[in-house]
Amino acid sequence: MLRIGLTGGIAAGKSVVARRLAERGAVLVDADVLARAAVEPGSEGLDAVVAAFGPEILGADGGLDRPALGRLVFADATARERLNAIVHPRVRAAAAALIEGSPEDAVVVEDIPLLVETGQAARFHLVVVVDAPDALRIERMVDHRGMERGDAARRIAAQVSRGDRLRAADAVLVNDRGVDELLAATEGLWRTRIVPFRDNLAAGRPADERPAVGGAARPTAGLAGTSRLADRIRGKLDAALPLGCSVAPDDAPDGAPDGAPDQTRTGLPADVVRAALRVVVPPGGAIDAASDAVAGAGFPRDERTSGHGRTPPTAPHRAADPAIDVTVTVGPALGAV
């Protein structure tokens, strides 16, 4: 199962991408839909929200007055945290039930507006960020949603910054032109990256082809994310590994990440596509257990490269994601016997 976390700031165009991925066969887990269900009339979630904020956040029909609650929480960080503490656990439980019922070879897309804010990036094989400049998003909210400009600006300020969201991205879909361009980029992402990534994971094999340094050979700009590749991979491994294991840069000669210094439309450095990491198994730890965890995180065992016969023995892994060239070596600390 390929797990994708889809996020983006308000009015960035995330819903357009989510619908297209669902049309292509992905299992869509929509956090907004689940959040609405969590506080629907008669639910324990709504009772908890009323207890926290008072009956004035209810409408005449007894349901949640969302504009009233929005004005309250987007202007007060403490109130927002209180609401999140009520809604988020319920959303995660509902999402887990949907995912558990999905086929083993599914592409599961979790549409999570606050993915970065809630620290969930590391649990996904792929974090896809739909991005647009703040000024353009404000214009969209004013023109298409009828919001006051100041309210729109406050909504954006209440979310994580655009830069922080982009730094968590494994793939970026830039939406600063039009819907047709965004849909074309989404199709490219599905065809050239998501489908082969899913197929490689299902087969337990690394990607066959290595991307060109700097990403020049990829057909759609931004598919490999923007920066911090090694840090992002380290986070995914840390989240999956057994206790006691650690992740460090590999000392292999080709382990330095590559990437051109020019700028993308996101304003961040051009894509970095190459990294080499080492998972250090503590003394007495099971290399096989750590190796299985690395494979589950999106880096299958590379059967073409044997780690047997080495001193100490190691388990080599390579990325199943065709847009990156990442090697992960699992073994004892260097110098251990």
Side-chain angles (χ1 to χ4, degrees), residues 67-301:
L69 182 61
R71 287 190 294 271
L72 176 62
V73 301
F74 281 107
D76 184 338
T78 300
R80 192 162 60 250
E81 290 174 3
R82 191 183 312 149
L83 177 64
N84 290 342
I86 295 169
V87 175
H88 287 173
R90 291 172 168 83
V91 170
R92 290 181 183 179
L98 283 174
I99 294 166
E100 188 175 347
S102 299
E104 283 297 318
D105 60 350
V107 173
V108 176
V109 176
E110 295 189 51
D111 181 341
I112 307 176
L114 302 181
L115 183 150
V116 177
E117 291 90 329
T118 53
Q120 299 185 62
R123 70 184 183 87
F124 294 102
H125 293 115
L126 203 62
V127 172
V128 178
V129 170
V130 185
D131 179 63
D134 291 351
L136 178 56
R137 292 160 56 207
I138 290 174
E139 293 302 321
R140 289 172 179 166
M141 284 186 276
V142 172
D143 294 342
H144 304 306
R145 305 187 185 188
M147 295 178 63
E148 296 292 334
R149 190 171 298 274
D151 190 18
R154 283 189 291 273
R155 294 289 181 108
I156 287 179
Q159 295 184 327
V160 72
S161 73
R162 182 185 176 204
D164 285 344
R165 193 180 291 111
L166 287 169
R167 280 186 283 273
D170 298 306
V172 179
L173 295 172
V174 181
N175 182 23
D176 60 359
R177 294 177 182 171
V179 173
D180 289 344
E181 288 81 358
L182 178 60
L183 289 174
T186 304
E187 292 284 354
L189 180 67
W190 177 263
R191 183 181 65 258
T192 66
R193 190 170 185 186
I194 292 175
V195 170
F197 195 169
R198 176 201 62 193
D199 293 346
N200 289 336
L201 273 183
R205 67 190 177 219
D208 286 335
E209 297 182 3
R210 299 187 178 203
V213 173
R218 286 192 305 278
T220 306
L223 285 187
T226 51
S227 62
R228 299 176 61 253
L229 175 64
D231 287 342
R232 288 186 278 114
I233 300 304
R234 184 178 294 111
K236 297 177 194 298
L237 294 174
D238 281 336
L241 287 167
L243 289 176
C245 294
S246 60
V247 185
D250 202 331
D251 290 336
D254 63 350
D258 294 317
D262 53 0
Q263 300 292 303
T264 67
R265 284 161 60 202
T266 63
L268 292 175
D271 294 348
V272 175
V273 298
R274 181 172 296 167
L277 297 168
R278 184 180 185 88
V279 169
V280 179
V281 180
I287 290 180
D288 286 346
S291 182
D292 289 344
V294 169
F299 305 90
R301 184 76 172 259

Side-chain angles (χ1 to χ4, degrees), residues 8-95:
I10 186 170
K14 177 173 57 63
S15 296
V16 172
V17 174
R19 285 193 297 269
R20 180 48 56 94
L21 294 177
E23 290 168 359
R24 290 295 171 264
V27 176
L28 180 61
V29 181
D30 190 325
D32 279 341
V33 172
L34 297 179
R36 287 179 178 273
V39 292
E40 65 185 5
S43 67
E44 292 182 0
L46 182 59
D47 291 343
V49 171
V50 173
F53 298 102
E56 57 269 22
I57 54 88
L58 292 176
D61 62 354
L64 190 63
D65 185 339
R66 296 182 183 279
L69 182 61
R71 287 190 294 271
L72 176 62
V73 301
F74 281 107
D76 184 338
T78 300
R80 192 162 60 250
E81 290 174 3
R82 191 183 312 149
L83 177 64
N84 290 342
I86 295 169
V87 175
H88 287 173
R90 291 172 168 83
V91 170
R92 290 181 183 179

